[in-house]
PDB file of all heavy atoms in Angstrom:
ATOM      1  N   PRO A 147     -24.686  38.672 -54.324  1.00 97.00           N
ATOM      2  CA  PRO A 147     -23.565  38.759 -53.414  1.00 97.00           C
ATOM      3  C   PRO A 147     -23.789  39.620 -52.123  1.00 97.00           C
ATOM      4  O   PRO A 147     -23.309  39.249 -51.040  1.00 97.00           O
ATOM      5  CB  PRO A 147     -22.437  39.419 -54.284  1.00 97.00           C
ATOM      6  CG  PRO A 147     -22.836  39.023 -55.728  1.00 97.00           C
ATOM      7  CD  PRO A 147     -24.286  38.975 -55.696  1.00 97.00           C
ATOM      8  N   ALA A 148     -24.648  40.658 -52.319  1.00 97.00           N
ATOM      9  CA  ALA A 148     -24.944  41.488 -51.132  1.00 97.00           C
ATOM     10  C   ALA A 148     -25.632  40.744 -50.051  1.00 97.00           C
ATOM     11  O   ALA A 148     -25.662  41.151 -48.818  1.00 97.00           O
ATOM     12  CB  ALA A 148     -25.725  42.741 -51.520  1.00 97.00           C
ATOM     13  N   ALA A 149     -26.310  39.711 -50.392  1.00 98.00           N
ATOM     14  CA  ALA A 149     -27.150  38.886 -49.434  1.00 98.00           C
ATOM     15  C   ALA A 149     -26.207  37.849 -48.763  1.00 98.00           C
ATOM     16  O   ALA A 149     -26.655  37.112 -47.944  1.00 98.00           O
ATOM     17  CB  ALA A 149     -28.302  38.249 -50.089  1.00 98.00           C
ATOM     18  N   ARG A 150     -24.968  37.670 -49.234  1.00 97.00           N
ATOM     19  CA  ARG A 150     -24.038  36.772 -48.716  1.00 97.00           C
ATOM     20  C   ARG A 150     -24.499  35.332 -48.679  1.00 97.00           C
ATOM     21  O   ARG A 150     -24.411  34.556 -47.574  1.00 97.00           O
ATOM     22  CB  ARG A 150     -23.675  37.130 -47.208  1.00 97.00           C
ATOM     23  CG  ARG A 150     -23.145  38.577 -47.271  1.00 97.00           C
ATOM     24  CD  ARG A 150     -22.859  39.047 -45.829  1.00 97.00           C
ATOM     25  NE  ARG A 150     -22.430  40.391 -45.709  1.00 97.00           N
ATOM     26  CZ  ARG A 150     -22.373  41.093 -44.604  1.00 97.00           C
ATOM     27  NH1 ARG A 150     -22.571  40.545 -43.420  1.00 97.00           N
ATOM     28  NH2 ARG A 150     -21.911  42.360 -44.584  1.00 97.00           N
ATOM     29  N   PRO A 151     -24.832  34.720 -49.870  1.00 98.00           N
ATOM     30  CA  PRO A 151     -25.309  33.372 -49.892  1.00 98.00           C
ATOM     31  C   PRO A 151     -24.185  32.351 -49.434  1.00 98.00           C
ATOM     32  O   PRO A 151     -24.388  31.233 -48.977  1.00 98.00           O
ATOM     33  CB  PRO A 151     -25.758  33.148 -51.408  1.00 98.00           C
ATOM     34  CG  PRO A 151     -25.003  34.181 -52.116  1.00 98.00           C
ATOM     35  CD  PRO A 151     -24.935  35.318 -51.160  1.00 98.00           C
ATOM     36  N   GLY A 152     -22.937  32.784 -49.745  1.00 98.00           N
ATOM     37  CA  GLY A 152     -21.726  31.882 -49.378  1.00 98.00           C
ATOM     38  C   GLY A 152     -21.688  31.729 -47.917  1.00 98.00           C
ATOM     39  O   GLY A 152     -21.220  30.639 -47.443  1.00 98.00           O
ATOM     40  N   GLU A 153     -22.000  32.722 -47.191  1.00 98.00           N
ATOM     41  CA  GLU A 153     -21.920  32.560 -45.713  1.00 98.00           C
ATOM     42  C   GLU A 153     -22.938  31.543 -45.168  1.00 98.00           C
ATOM     43  O   GLU A 153     -22.611  30.702 -44.341  1.00 98.00           O
ATOM     44  CB  GLU A 153     -22.139  33.920 -45.029  1.00 98.00           C
ATOM     45  CG  GLU A 153     -21.081  34.926 -45.194  1.00 98.00           C
ATOM     46  CD  GLU A 153     -21.177  36.145 -44.401  1.00 98.00           C
ATOM     47  OE1 GLU A 153     -22.070  36.224 -43.522  1.00 98.00           O
ATOM     48  OE2 GLU A 153     -20.467  37.126 -44.615  1.00 98.00           O
ATOM     49  N   LEU A 154     -24.143  31.607 -45.675  1.00 98.00           N
ATOM     50  CA  LEU A 154     -25.195  30.580 -45.267  1.00 98.00           C
ATOM     51  C   LEU A 154     -24.802  29.277 -45.737  1.00 98.00           C
ATOM     52  O   LEU A 154     -24.859  28.329 -44.946  1.00 98.00           O
ATOM     53  CB  LEU A 154     -26.502  31.081 -45.785  1.00 98.00           C
ATOM     54  CG  LEU A 154     -27.724  30.114 -45.457  1.00 98.00           C
ATOM     55  CD1 LEU A 154     -27.861  29.945 -43.901  1.00 98.00           C
ATOM     56  CD2 LEU A 154     -28.990  30.516 -46.034  1.00 98.00           C
ATOM     57  N   ALA A 155     -24.298  29.133 -46.924  1.00 98.00           N
ATOM     58  CA  ALA A 155     -23.806  27.809 -47.413  1.00 98.00           C
ATOM     59  C   ALA A 155     -22.772  27.245 -46.501  1.00 98.00           C
ATOM     60  O   ALA A 155     -22.762  26.083 -46.164  1.00 98.00           O
ATOM     61  CB  ALA A 155     -23.353  27.908 -48.875  1.00 98.00           C
ATOM     62  N   GLY A 156     -21.861  28.097 -46.084  1.00 98.00           N
ATOM     63  CA  GLY A 156     -20.761  27.679 -45.224  1.00 98.00           C
ATOM     64  C   GLY A 156     -21.342  27.189 -43.839  1.00 98.00           C
ATOM     65  O   GLY A 156     -20.865  26.276 -43.295  1.00 98.00           O
ATOM     66  N   ARG A 157     -22.232  27.931 -43.343  1.00 98.00           N
ATOM     67  CA  ARG A 157     -22.897  27.570 -42.020  1.00 98.00           C
ATOM     68  C   ARG A 157     -23.476  26.190 -42.103  1.00 98.00           C
ATOM     69  O   ARG A 157     -23.366  25.288 -41.253  1.00 98.00           O
ATOM     70  CB  ARG A 157     -23.937  28.560 -41.598  1.00 98.00           C
ATOM     71  CG  ARG A 157     -23.413  29.889 -41.196  1.00 98.00           C
ATOM     72  CD  ARG A 157     -24.582  30.899 -40.913  1.00 98.00           C
ATOM     73  NE  ARG A 157     -24.242  32.179 -40.404  1.00 98.00           N
ATOM     74  CZ  ARG A 157     -24.125  32.505 -39.171  1.00 98.00           C
ATOM     75  NH1 ARG A 157     -24.486  31.708 -38.295  1.00 98.00           N
ATOM     76  NH2 ARG A 157     -23.813  33.827 -38.860  1.00 98.00           N
TER      77      ARG A 157
END
Side-chain angles (χ1 to χ4, degrees):
R150 302 174 184 172
E153 290 187 11
L154 180 58
R157 286 173 179 265

